[in-house]
Amino acid sequence: MTSTDRPRWATSTNAVVLGVVAAFVVATPVVLELDWRIDRTRPMYDDRDQMEWLQYQSVVTTGQGQALDLRDGESAVVAGEEFTPSAGVVVEVVVEDADRPCVRVGNDHGDVSEWACLDLDDPPVDPDPEVVDPAASGS
């Protein structure tokens, strides 16, 4: 058989296009699963960031963190602010060293974060900073 006996549609361009389409067909379920997992874990990581910030504020103002174990619907006042976990999120704070509280979160899907321990040399960033409007400052 010679190369002229190939069907007209069997070109290298069509092979590349078919390969790209096959890659998308295989990758789509993986990407959708990853997107779903990110969406379901976002509230717990947002809560962990908020609790890390509050624990940092507590250490700065009182010299110690505040041990907690909060479940959906429960709340606590930390560093003068009331904190309530997101729906389906559990927030756990352990304080083995007064100035080094550690925060871990989980959700009702079975996802659990790593422990995030306060490091005063590298403090957390305020997850909800106040936005300052430069036009309002009168400069």
Side-chain angles (χ1 to χ4, degrees), residues 10-99:
T11 64
S12 58
T13 302
N14 286 344
V16 168
V17 169
L18 183 61
V20 169
V21 168
F24 274 106
V25 167
V26 170
T28 297
V30 173
V31 170
L32 291 174
E33 174 68 23
L34 182 61
D35 182 57
W36 178 74
R37 183 173 172 84
I38 289 169
D39 284 346
R40 81 177 190 200
T41 58
R42 183 174 290 122
M44 71 181 218
Y45 284 107
D46 289 345
D47 284 358
R48 185 177 78 171
D49 290 345
Q50 183 67 31
M51 183 53 68
E52 283 181 276
W53 176 252
L54 292 173
Q55 291 292 331
Y56 170 67
Q57 295 300 312
S58 178
V59 168
V60 168
T61 58
T62 69
Q64 63 185 8
Q66 183 178 339
L68 297 168
D69 189 3
L70 296 175
R71 307 214 175 284
D72 191 9
E74 299 176 339
S75 62
V77 176
V78 180
E81 290 189 41
E82 185 171 0
F83 175 84
T84 304
S86 300
V89 175
V90 174
V91 177
E92 182 181 359
V93 181
V94 295
V95 183
E96 292 179 8
D97 296 324
D99 64 347

Side-chain angles (χ1 to χ4, degrees), residues 52 100-103 115-119:
E52 283 181 276
R100 190 170 161 78
C102 297
V103 182
W115 286 101
C117 297
L118 178 62
D119 179 359

